[in-house]
Amino acid sequence: MAGPASERREHLVRLAAELFARKGFQATTVREIALEAGILSGSLYHHFDSKETIVDEVLRTFLDDLITRYRAVLERGGDPHSVLAEMVRIGFGTLEPHRAAITVMQNDWNYLRSLPGDRFDYLLRAEDEVERMWVEQIRAGQAAGQFRADVDPKLTYRMIRDTIWVTVRWFRPGGRLDTDSLADHFVKLLFDGLATGERASRPS
């Protein structure tokens, strides 16, 4: 059971994450985080030694959760079509609990990767692992005859990835569609397409 200090730390991380998402990591100051939390700037340093430590925790929490869920799906196994559909649902399912982290990754990825040292090297490692998971499933689906053989697996993954993550910019929790509905709609488009009829009958 988390104690008061741990709960306070988590609260500060959430506040900071929202500020990073709204203003950008670079533009957000320690003073602004402290002000948002109703404490003095010096008090923030009792919990974190730097602004980078806070964003580090925001991003690691998101990536750990995402990759753990992906690994669990792959370990359960199943045909590539079903596995890929579940991975899509996992991606969309992160939009609400990790909205701020996803926004920060989109807006500040290049800046964080450019910082001196190797603190944020794990971002690239995580990106590579996730891409490998997706690409392997797409290739398995092609080998099994479930997916078209004339599409590039890596490009296909990156287009799926970007569609999911960019959704965070317009998706509003509590709106007409929840993340399950978004995932269902995307899975339908991904596997059934938009056009009707046979591909052979369509104009080139």
Side-chain angles (χ1 to χ4, degrees):
M1 185 175 180
S6 177
E7 291 175 357
R8 181 60 171 164
R9 182 185 175 89
E10 291 175 5
H11 175 66
L12 291 171
V13 169
R14 286 195 299 271
L15 287 179
E18 290 299 325
L19 281 173
F20 295 153
R22 189 164 67 245
K23 297 190 60 178
F25 175 75
Q26 290 176 263
T28 302
T29 65
V30 170
R31 183 176 181 278
E32 287 172 324
I33 298 171
L35 189 63
E36 187 79 7
I39 60 177
L40 297 174
S41 298
S43 300
L44 195 64
Y45 288 106
H46 290 300
H47 301 276
F48 308 97
D49 60 6
S50 67
K51 191 174 66 167
E52 286 74 20
T53 299
I54 304 176
V55 77
D56 190 5
E57 190 160 326
V58 171
L59 298 180
R60 282 185 185 275
T61 299
F62 162 58
L63 290 171
D64 287 349
D65 182 39
L66 180 71
I67 291 174
T68 297
R69 290 171 184 268
Y70 281 159
R71 286 172 178 166
V73 170
L74 296 175
E75 286 171 7
R76 286 198 299 270
D79 67 275
H81 184 290
S82 300
V83 171
L84 211 66
E86 184 58 27
M87 292 175 77
V88 167
R89 292 189 170 91
I90 288 170
F92 276 104
T94 64
L95 294 180
E96 196 162 346
H98 296 293
R99 183 190 61 79
I102 295 167
T103 303
V104 171
M105 282 192 65
Q106 289 189 63
N107 295 339
D108 296 296
W109 174 278
N110 289 335
Y111 174 74
L112 293 172
R113 289 282 295 116
S114 72
L115 292 175
D118 59 2
R119 180 169 203 155
F120 293 100
D121 284 359
Y122 70 88
L123 294 176
L124 194 56
R125 291 195 298 272
E127 181 184 46
D128 288 345
E129 180 177 358
V130 169
E131 181 171 287
R132 178 186 55 76
M133 292 176 181
W134 279 83
V135 169
E136 285 180 356
Q137 285 304 304
I138 294 170
R139 285 177 176 155
Q142 289 175 319
Q146 291 187 326
F147 304 149
R148 292 173 54 169
D150 61 344
V151 296
D152 181 88
K154 184 174 289 189
L155 178 60
T156 300
Y157 156 66
R158 291 182 176 182
M159 294 179 79
I160 293 171
R161 174 200 64 191
D162 291 351
T163 298
I164 295 172
W165 297 149
V166 170
T167 302
V168 79
R169 297 185 181 276
W170 54 263
F171 171 68
R172 294 294 176 266
R176 182 174 64 87
L177 297 173
D178 58 17
T179 54
D180 287 338
S181 300
L182 289 176
D184 288 342
H185 187 80
F186 185 73
V187 166
K188 186 185 299 182
L189 279 176
L190 179 64
F191 294 125
D192 299 335
L194 182 63
T196 58
E198 296 297 325
R199 285 204 306 272
S201 67
R202 299 171 195 159
S204 59

